[in-house]
Amino acid sequence: MSTLVHENVQKYYGSRLQTSGDLQTSASCGLPSRPMPKSVLDALKLVHPEVRKKYFGCGLVVPEKLGGCKILDLGSGSGRDCYALSKLVGSSGHVIGIDMTEELILVSRKYIQYHQERFGFEKPNTVFVQGYMERLGEAGVQSDSLDILVSNCVICLCPDKKAILKEAFRVLKEGGEFYFSDMYASEVVPEHLKQDPVMWGEGMSGSLYWQDLIAMVQEVGFSTPRLVTASHIVVHNSELQRKAGDIRYASGTYRFFKLPKNSVEVDAVVTYKGTVPDHSDQLDLDDSHSFKRDVPVPVDAETAAVLRCSRFSSDFCFQSSAGQATSQNGPPQYCHLSPFLLADRLGSSIRQCSKTGDQASCDGAPPGGQEATNGTGNCGT
């Protein structure tokens, strides 16, 4: 099945889709639900128009503090995210894009020199490799070699999610981060929908039930996923709506870290120094953890370990939280990690989709008056 899925996805994105407007969902039309730093906006404006035209993602995969980092983009497509990231990592950083679709790799490679000159770099800091994200070793990606992995709405196109996560864990350095946006389903997608090539191409058949992501990530060895932002995804094609039935879809941006095996995890009080570029007053690690400059904040043991062991370690002061326990007893509760609940709370909306021209309401309801439902799916533990 994996080979067939790969072939169908290659055809879908290599020849059938010419621009993001050919997609049958609003995945690439969503408004960002958190403000973008000026440096990110400026980098995106510098990306070549042809590269931007073939953007098929469902989010923005630009984490903070990228200067000098080595980044790998899984499923890099036409290279839009890679080129924006290459501007942000600077001439001392490096960005690798990997994609299995030859047509998209050719588009991305076409503009390497263009962006090098546009950014004012002496030499290119971006390369594109044709290959499979489940088999990064075959593409020459070494173990423990990367600071950050990003991915923009492509894991839902892959039949073997766990293989991707295992490879991601292998190639990241200790303290490294996987920061990615993807499509998620409100329930487990039934097997019969996975036989439809268009449903696969749109990311609908291969979307994970969001709770399955949490279990899978922790099983591989990463820290607990952290939900950064989310938006509802609207399906515009009536036939695809009929096939999907009661299943609904959301875009969610998550981040998680590869913590050192011998890292000590204890509750702590952390104080942000205001030293991350573009975030001098406040740094948001995720939707549940926000740090204002010079304000001590008690955090749980895993959050403290993430901050202490990642590239953010020099941006925080750490103190013991003796007498200020933050850990909860009993099994962890993951309702705050639901992209559907967060999209409802943020009121994420679609301004106008290039597929239909329909105007969505400002409260996040899909075009046509269908309301977004709070509490999508069973939250569970």
Side-chain angles (χ1 to χ4, degrees), residues 189-211:
V189 177
E191 287 298 319
H192 72 270
L193 290 183
K194 298 180 181 180
Q195 311 303 318
D196 189 306
V198 175
M199 293 282 284
W200 260 110
E202 292 288 332
M204 298 169 67
S205 290
S207 291
L208 272 177
Y209 173 42
W210 67 271
Q211 288 196 49

Side-chain angles (χ1 to χ4, degrees), residues 172-381:
L172 278 172
K173 301 174 183 176
E174 288 190 341
E177 175 182 11
F178 196 172
Y179 186 102
F180 72 105
S181 180
D182 206 33
M183 286 176 63
Y184 295 93
S186 59
E187 58 189 81
V188 177
V189 177
E191 287 298 319
H192 72 270
L193 290 183
K194 298 180 181 180
Q195 311 303 318
D196 189 306
V198 175
M199 293 282 284
W200 260 110
E202 292 288 332
M204 298 169 67
S205 290
S207 291
L208 272 177
Y209 173 42
W210 67 271
Q211 288 196 49
D212 289 342
L213 171 76
I214 300 168
M216 197 176 295
V217 164
Q218 293 178 317
E219 183 180 344
V220 168
F222 283 107
S223 64
T224 305
R226 296 169 179 273
L227 181 59
V228 179
T229 189
S231 299
H232 290 291
I233 290 177
V234 181
V235 180
H236 297 291
N237 183 294
S238 59
E239 178 62 16
L240 296 185
Q241 286 179 351
R242 184 190 65 77
K243 291 179 180 178
D246 293 333
I247 302 174
R248 283 174 290 136
Y249 295 88
S251 165
T253 299
Y254 290 90
R255 68 194 314 175
F256 40 85
F257 295 80
K258 178 181 176 178
L259 299 179
K261 294 179 181 178
N262 59 350
S263 63
V264 178
E265 296 191 8
V266 293
D267 294 352
V269 175
V270 300
T271 305
Y272 175 51
K273 300 177 183 179
T275 49
V276 175
D278 293 318
H279 301 274
S280 59
D281 296 323
Q282 179 173 309
L283 178 67
D284 297 327
L285 181 64
D286 54 54
D287 185 67
S288 302
H289 295 86
S290 182
F291 304 97
K292 293 183 178 180
R293 184 181 61 192
D294 298 330
V295 177
V297 178
V299 296
D300 62 88
E302 187 177 59
T303 301
V306 164
L307 296 175
R308 195 188 302 272
C309 299
S310 68
R311 65 187 184 282
F312 300 112
S313 60
S314 63
D315 301 300
F316 286 85
C317 295
F318 298 85
Q319 293 178 307
S320 170
S321 65
Q324 302 184 50
T326 60
S327 297
Q328 297 180 348
N329 294 323
Q333 303 293 312
Y334 292 130
C335 291
H336 64 290
L337 297 182
S338 165
F340 295 91
L341 293 179
L342 180 57
D344 288 340
R345 181 161 61 81
L346 293 176
S348 56
S349 62
I350 306 303
R351 177 179 292 163
Q352 180 173 329
C353 184
S354 58
K355 271 75 73 182
T356 65
D358 286 342
Q359 193 81 12
S361 62
C362 61
D363 65 356
Q370 180 183 351
E371 296 181 356
T373 303
N374 287 319
T376 300
N378 256 337
C379 188
T381 57

